[in-house]
Amino acid sequence: MMPFSVREFEALARDRLPRYAYDFIAGGADDEVTVRANEQAFARLRLLPRVLRGQPGRDLGTTLFGAGITMPVLLSPTAFHRLADPAGEQATARAAAKAGTVLIASMASTVPIGDIATAGGADLVLWFQLYIQPDQAVTDALVKRAEDAGCRALVVTVDSPVLGWRQRDHHNEFHDLPAGLYCENMRGLAGDSGVRSIAMVPELSWEHIDRLRQTTELPIVLKGLMHPADAVTAVEHGVSGLLVSNHGGRQLDTAVAAIDAVADVAAAVDIPVLMDGGVRRGTDVVKALALGAHAVGIGRPVLWGLAARGEEGVLDVLELLRGELDRALALTGCASVRQVTSDLVREVRC
Ligand SMILES: Cc1cc2nc3c(=O)[nH]c(=O)nc-3n(C[C@H](O)[C@H](O)[C@H](O)COP(=O)(O)O)c2cc1C
Ligand SMILES: CCCCCCC(=O)C(=O)O
């Protein structure tokens, strides 16, 4: 059966994946309050459409750090794509390139960043997600690998000084990758031992960002920042963009829904603000744009598409969202993503 929504892709993925892999993707931290809140918060926001502003078509395109993309929907970084499909991140890269949008490759990819870039080809706008490592030489080597692969931005995840408590993974005893799968970006670096060689750094601070700023010319995007005061500080430290995110509810449980943090962050800074967490429909994209986001990211939906139908499934998910966004723009009276304004959204009590 052909799925007609992101949700239907989730159902297909659930049927196909082993339990531990499905749970790794679906799960979050502690009681998963924030996992649910991310989606529920979108449902609490309602659209207030404008009418009689007829346009023959809609322009979904936007620009990020000089690169044109065909819609404001990015692939957020997610680990271990080969858990979902043998072609892993290579399949994802091909789909992102065909869709004409940004792939943020996870540092915890099961395909090396150079091979992801090759699979996506010249059309792929590729960014690299980085967990700053305790050993500076390892961080430097990862940045070099990303630069050599042609990545156009570094996305530094700042919401993970320690790893969240993923109860489902503990129940499933999922602590390491199955045989044959490896954190390929770590291969050959000091201390390399697969998944366990990716360290979370409890002492992570603005000094780490300053040092990274001096190491690379690439734009730096901070991912996992939610507080407007931190957004202001980020700009002072030379950061080029922000990805408002609570890591899909996988880190601090009971953190506010990501969409609820967007407006204050966007009002505080003049750099591009992106968001991810709970985006499942084109209408969610419109709501995020209305609250000041430049674009949104999707995490789990990509893995559901990949598990359900490989490269084609990821492309299907992206094209479903594109179609929904196009319809949502038409139905709210917008001819382009730039016409989405804050007056189009209202919060209701559920
Ligand atoms: C299975 C899985 C793996 C993830 N791996 C990473 C990662 O390696 N690095 C990172 O910064 N975020 C990671 N994330 C968080 C996503 O980038 C993103 O913030 C989140 O999935 C967005 O929420 P959504 O899944 O509701 O779209 C992961 C999320 C999931 C579900
Ligand atoms: C120690 C392994 C780190 C992989 C982290 C992947 C990730 O961010 C996630 O949310 O899962």
Side-chain angles (χ1 to χ4, degrees), residues 165-185:
W165 184 252
R166 318 270 175 87
Q167 224 156 286
R168 298 196 204 200
D169 295 346
H170 293 296
H171 280 297
N172 295 329
E173 297 182 12
F174 177 54
H175 302 303
D176 220 331
L177 286 169
L181 268 57
Y182 205 79
C183 271
E184 294 292 346
N185 292 315

Side-chain angles (χ1 to χ4, degrees), residues 216-228:
T216 180
E217 303 277 303
L218 290 176
I220 293 175
V221 177
L222 297 189
K223 172 174 185 283
L225 182 154
M226 301 272 283
H227 198 294

Side-chain angles (χ1 to χ4, degrees), residues 25 77-79 106 129 131 157 223 245 247 276-278 280 299-300:
I25 293 166
T78 48
S106 168
Q129 177 265 326
Y131 286 113
T157 300
K223 172 174 185 283
S245 171
H247 213 112
D276 74 19
R280 303 290 181 262
R300 293 177 181 89

Side-chain angles (χ1 to χ4, degrees), residues 77 79 106-108 128-134 138-139 142 155-163 166 186 198-201 204 223 247 250-251:
S106 168
M107 172 170 151
F128 185 76
Q129 177 265 326
L130 176 74
Y131 286 113
I132 289 178
Q133 294 299 287
V138 172
T139 304
L142 287 160
V155 178
V156 182
T157 300
V158 294
D159 58 18
S160 306
V162 297
L163 200 64
R166 318 270 175 87
M186 302 305 288
I198 297 183
M200 302 294 147
V201 177
L204 200 65
K223 172 174 185 283
H247 213 112
R250 295 162 75 84
Q251 286 298 110

Side-chain angles (χ1 to χ4, degrees), residues 287-298:
K287 291 169 188 177
L289 299 181
L291 292 173
H294 197 93
V296 304
I298 51 169

Side-chain angles (χ1 to χ4, degrees), residues 247-288:
H247 213 112
R250 295 162 75 84
Q251 286 298 110
L252 174 66
D253 195 27
T254 75
V256 300
I259 189 63
D260 287 337
V262 167
D264 287 347
V265 169
V269 296
D270 279 331
I271 55 176
V273 171
L274 318 172
M275 71 79 54
D276 74 19
V279 174
R280 303 290 181 262
R281 288 282 188 186
T283 46
D284 297 338
V285 184
V286 173
K287 291 169 188 177

